[in-house]
Amino acid sequence: MKTVPFAFDLNEPDFIPSEYDNHIQRRLSAMRGQYLDKEAYEARLAQGDDLLYEVYELRRPTVPGELLHGISIVHPGKVGDEYHMTKGHFHEVLETGEIYHCLKGKGFMVMETPEGEWAVEPLYPGRVLCVLPRWAHRSVNASLAEDLVTFFVYPGDAGHDYGTIEAQGFRKLVVEKNGQPEIVDNPRWSPPEAA
Ligand code: PAN
Ligand code: ZN
């Protein structure tokens, strides 16, 4: 980790940072239980454990005041009707937000609060998205041809809570219908008081 101000390049066409501390690769097997169509998931996994998305992190100390940042790349594809997506999470320190800047591709950020409020925002090159504190977030690549590439930055002490989302998924799913992305209800989801 650097102790003096630093800069790096996001080289086109892939936007892989010229420097990074950590490279996370999430494969299909890491997404068990996240896609609604379990049969389609198992059938695809039987064909191979494909790489679905990658994160290049510039690490910083996990303390307030630091800014963690990096690049998230969701590769194109579907499991059943659902587009490739990140696991999604709440921040462990719920009152921390995040900024995303879309650099390439076409997709959506699916968001929700612990109280069940939801929002889905389109992502396209040049678009900047502010995920407010308390909002869980998942990026979805709605192109079947191109990577979805975003730059993100969030507080050093935010941490990640994946378990809450793993339990029943997000309230909304992004699926392909007649060749177009559509936002639909997740039948596995139930309101917080009934959960
Ligand atoms: C991002 C995400 C990244 C991968 O850095 O961590 O896009 O998504 P998952 O962490 O949900 O697998 C972020 O939101 N950090 O807080
Ligand atoms: Zn986050």
Side-chain angles (χ1 to χ4, degrees):
M1 262 185 255
K2 306 269 197 311
T3 53
V4 292
F6 63 95
F8 57 92
D9 296 307
L10 297 175
N11 295 308
E12 296 199 41
D14 295 327
F15 295 100
I16 295 170
S18 56
E19 297 185 28
Y20 54 87
D21 300 309
N22 193 28
H23 179 201
I24 300 165
Q25 293 186 302
R26 290 237 218 269
R27 296 184 175 275
L28 191 59
S29 55
M31 296 295 284
R32 182 173 293 282
Q34 293 301 297
Y35 287 100
L36 187 65
D37 188 339
K38 293 193 170 22
E39 263 179 44
Y41 174 87
E42 295 300 340
R44 221 186 114 174
L45 193 57
Q47 302 292 310
D49 194 7
D50 296 337
L51 179 62
L52 302 193
Y53 66 98
E54 308 180 59
V55 183
Y56 293 88
E57 290 181 326
L58 281 291
R59 283 240 165 115
R60 299 302 307 152
T62 55
V63 296
E66 289 283 354
L67 295 170
L68 269 64
H69 53 285
I71 288 288
S72 161
I73 303 174
V74 185
H75 298 303
K78 286 189 303 176
V79 175
D81 293 335
E82 255 179 298
Y83 294 103
H84 284 179
M85 60 195 185
T86 60
K87 286 178 94 156
H89 55 264
F90 285 95
H91 288 163
E92 218 171 325
V93 177
L94 199 55
E95 300 294 339
T96 52
E98 184 158 350
I99 296 289
Y100 277 86
H101 181 196
C102 182
L103 300 169
K104 181 180 177 178
K106 169 179 102 160
F108 295 92
M109 189 69 77
V110 177
M111 294 169 280
E112 68 186 45
T113 65
E115 292 76 31
E117 262 182 293
W118 65 273
V120 177
E121 279 291 331
L123 293 172
Y124 49 84
R127 191 77 166 158
V128 176
L129 170 75
C130 180
V131 178
L132 292 180
R134 302 180 57 76
W135 288 74
H137 40 286
R138 157 182 284 167
S139 23
V140 179
N141 183 348
S143 161
L144 295 178
E146 233 192 340
D147 287 342
L148 175 70
V149 182
T150 51
F151 174 80
F152 58 81
V153 53
Y154 61 97
D157 63 328
H160 295 98
D161 159 20
Y162 290 102
T164 307
I165 294 299
E166 274 166 10
Q168 57 175 7
F170 279 78
R171 184 169 185 171
K172 297 289 171 178
L173 309 177
V174 186
V175 299
E176 189 190 52
K177 275 206 182 140
N178 305 317
Q180 292 299 320
E182 210 170 288
I183 295 153
V184 299
D185 288 334
N186 171 11
R188 279 174 61 214
W189 190 90
S190 53
E193 53 276 15

